[in-house]
Amino acid sequence: MQNELELIEQHKVFDGCQRRYRHHSSILSCAMTFSLFIPDSSRWPSPPLLWWLSGLTCNDENFTTKAGAQRIAARLGIAIVMPDTSPRGEAVADVSQWDLGQGAGFYLNATQQPWAGHYRMYDYLRDELPHLLSSKLGFNGPQSISGHSMGGHGALVIALRNPERFCSVSAFSPIVNPTAVPWGQNAFQTYLGEDRQSWQQWDACELLKNYQGKVIPMLIDQGDNDSFLGEQLQPERLAQVAADIDYPLTLRMQQGYDHSYYFIASFIEQHLEFHMKHLQQA
């Protein structure tokens, strides 16, 4: 049943609880897992919630085990939900390419076959999973969103399309202009078809150009030793759009850092503190 949550793993960490859940998704038509960190309930009975969206080839466990975020979240009193990056299962369409198919959902709603039946990660993250977290686990307070690489793309797009929902947004090494770079063009053509006009609703640069919603404070960290920086990421494009419309975006180029979780672990504390500042103002 889609509204039933199965707790499949649980660990105490920094006096909080790291959990992993499974449920059936009616939107994605498959079983899905997500991870959730909840800080010490005796200190933080109603913690705000940060969404973390992971990148290509990842699932809900990468950030859980590699970022070292629980220590900081426990201190600040932030819960973190870590969804999977795509639908999963034998019946779900897939290809041998690492940057398409399972593990590479790009946080959009596919319109092309054989993808359209399952690849609706945007609707899943906008509607279904928030409803489960609210109705089953009691998360009804302020929320922010963050992510890495493909997940940074997802965080920016979801925030800009749903500004009333989030207090802040941040990203590590995000794909900011997917309609103009190979990763995004390959995925969008596959999932969305040839109509490039329809691609723009999934592109942070295009969304920000004509943005009319609530201003959401935005922080982006990018390593200057990232092998994907020049061809796939190009965060200066989003920074330029933000400057053109006087939007509050902070882009920090971090000397010597690459695309790995070592980079994320180095700056995740600053990102959580950034989000907590704005969550407390909600």
Side-chain angles (χ1 to χ4, degrees):
M1 296 294 292
Q2 70 188 68
N3 289 325
E4 293 183 358
L5 286 179
E6 177 190 1
L7 179 62
I8 56 178
E9 192 173 335
Q10 182 169 251
H11 307 278
K12 184 173 181 178
V13 54
F14 296 106
D15 290 324
C17 190
Q18 181 67 55
R19 299 176 181 173
R20 196 176 192 218
Y21 289 95
R22 180 187 294 119
H23 73 104
H24 177 77
S25 167
S26 60
I27 285 178
L28 303 179
S29 300
C30 65
M32 291 294 288
T33 59
F34 67 90
S35 294
L36 177 68
F37 172 75
I38 305 173
D40 182 3
S41 59
S42 67
R43 294 185 61 203
W44 314 104
S46 300
L49 184 65
L50 176 68
W51 292 77
W52 172 268
L53 306 184
S54 290
L56 289 165
T57 75
C58 293
N59 62 20
D60 59 289
E61 292 188 292
N62 292 76
F63 182 80
T64 303
T65 58
K66 294 181 178 180
Q70 292 93 338
R71 176 184 60 82
I72 304 121
R75 172 174 63 83
L76 296 173
I78 300 177
I80 308 176
V81 60
M82 296 142 275
D84 204 344
T85 55
S86 78
R88 304 276 180 176
E90 293 183 3
V92 176
D94 199 13
V95 291
S96 58
Q97 291 179 244
W98 65 274
D99 56 353
L100 279 177
Q102 294 185 35
F106 270 83
Y107 303 103
L108 50 71
N109 291 336
T111 59
Q112 303 300 299
Q113 298 300 335
W115 313 98
H118 294 280
Y119 284 75
R120 297 171 59 199
M121 287 298 293
Y122 176 77
D123 282 355
Y124 172 70
L125 295 176
R126 184 191 63 184
D127 300 324
E128 187 172 15
L129 190 52
H131 175 72
L132 281 177
L133 290 168
S134 172
S135 62
K136 298 297 183 181
L137 297 173
F139 285 98
N140 298 301
Q143 301 182 14
S144 291
I145 191 167
S146 186
H148 172 231
S149 194
M150 178 187 72
H153 142 75
L156 293 168
V157 167
I158 291 172
L160 290 171
R161 292 184 60 168
N162 302 273
E164 71 288 343
R165 180 176 154 193
F166 299 105
C167 299
S168 52
V169 57
S170 76
F172 291 83
S173 314
I175 307 169
V176 301
N177 196 191
T179 60
V181 300
W183 274 345
Q185 291 171 339
N186 184 38
F188 286 8
Q189 185 171 16
T190 301
Y191 295 141
L192 303 172
E194 299 292 342
D195 179 12
R196 293 190 172 228
Q197 189 68 28
S198 72
W199 296 7
Q200 294 185 10
Q201 64 184 312
W202 309 110
D203 185 305
C205 282
E206 296 299 327
L207 290 170
L208 195 59
K209 284 178 184 178
N210 302 301
Y211 188 68
Q212 299 294 323
K214 181 190 79 174
V215 171
I216 311 168
M218 187 180 295
L219 170 65
I220 294 175
D221 269 328
Q222 172 66 59
D224 69 359
N225 198 35
D226 188 326
S227 60
F228 302 116
L229 174 58
E231 183 179 24
Q232 306 285 7
L233 306 178
Q234 302 179 22
E236 68 278 0
R237 294 187 180 188
L238 188 63
Q240 184 60 60
V241 174
D244 290 343
I245 64 170
D246 197 26
Y247 191 93
L249 181 156
T250 299
L251 170 61
R252 308 189 306 189
M253 297 301 297
Q254 303 292 2
Q255 185 177 2
Y257 285 91
D258 57 23
H259 200 73
S260 71
Y261 263 85
Y262 296 110
F263 173 44
I264 297 170
S266 297
F267 296 98
I268 191 61
E269 183 167 14
Q270 295 177 21
H271 280 242
L272 292 183
E273 289 173 342
F274 163 80
H275 289 298
M276 192 61 181
K277 172 185 174 182
H278 297 288
L279 287 162
Q280 288 175 324
Q281 297 173 359

